[in-house]
Amino acid sequence: VQILLKLWRNGFSLDDGELRSYSDPINAQFLESVKRGEIPVELQRLVHGGQVNLDMEDHQEQEYVKPRLRFKAFSGEGQKLGSLTPEIVSTPSSPEEEEKSILNAPVLIDDSMPATKIQIRLADGSRLIQRFNQTHRIKHIRDFIIQSRPAFATTDFVLVTTFPNKELTDESLTLQEADILNTVILQQLK
């Protein structure tokens, strides 16, 4: 953690925080720790035993002026509204994970025919990634799920595309006819 200690004529501040008076005993103890080259207890608690870099600026010829708050844009994570599941913007799968899911239940691939990868998000929260030929049918995806996760063999479920959500009811369609090449398919329990 990077912390900036600014020394003013009438006190000190940490980063762009409030002015702390030199006369307050807690603040005096804080500064004594810094003078001895130790990390003050307050900062140790703040970083939970991590590393602290404490930089200092000398402004002792100036009076403390409260800094203007800087605009900080939202840096959180958003979710789409109206979708059954949130779209994952980027979760690159590792080659090991892909290899593991491919080995779980082999699908016979004709290498002379065009192929596609389908990611299947299962109702239990896990996911499978599998290569299929474009001529494989939606029924083959269902069979692959049951082979990979035998617990779903006795469970009634449907396959759904991501946004716009469309249930894949005609399982005799090829992946190309269903327009689901290189997509994500969701398994939903009935």
Side-chain angles (χ1 to χ4, degrees), residues 96-133:
E96 296 84 26
E97 184 180 337
E98 285 188 29
E99 192 64 33
K100 184 178 129 196
S101 67
I102 288 171
L103 293 175
N104 280 345
V107 173
L108 297 176
I109 305 292
D110 182 354
D111 289 326
S112 66
M113 303 285 290
T116 184
K117 270 191 186 174
I118 303 287
Q119 182 184 137
I120 305 155
R121 291 196 202 142
L122 301 176
D124 65 4
S126 63
R127 69 180 182 158
L128 300 169
I129 300 169
Q130 180 61 45
R131 264 184 78 223
F132 293 92
N133 286 117

Side-chain angles (χ1 to χ4, degrees), residues 84-163:
L84 292 177
T85 59
E87 180 180 66
I88 296 178
V89 178
S90 66
T91 55
S93 60
S94 66
E96 296 84 26
E97 184 180 337
E98 285 188 29
E99 192 64 33
K100 184 178 129 196
S101 67
I102 288 171
L103 293 175
N104 280 345
V107 173
L108 297 176
I109 305 292
D110 182 354
D111 289 326
S112 66
M113 303 285 290
T116 184
K117 270 191 186 174
I118 303 287
Q119 182 184 137
I120 305 155
R121 291 196 202 142
L122 301 176
D124 65 4
S126 63
R127 69 180 182 158
L128 300 169
I129 300 169
Q130 180 61 45
R131 264 184 78 223
F132 293 92
N133 286 117
Q134 294 180 6
T135 55
H136 275 106
R137 304 199 177 277
I138 296 172
K139 180 182 181 343
H140 293 116
I141 296 176
R142 177 180 291 277
D143 294 342
F144 170 71
I145 293 171
I146 292 169
Q147 285 178 340
S148 299
R149 302 289 195 279
F152 289 123
T154 58
T155 307
D156 197 16
F157 65 87
V158 294
L159 300 175
V160 180
T161 62
T162 54
F163 190 80

Side-chain angles (χ1 to χ4, degrees), residues 1-18:
V1 176
Q2 188 76 28
I3 297 177
L4 179 60
L5 172 67
K6 295 181 182 177
L7 301 173
W8 303 94
R9 182 180 301 149
N10 50 343
F12 69 94
S13 63
L14 295 176
D15 292 326
D16 287 330
E18 296 292 319

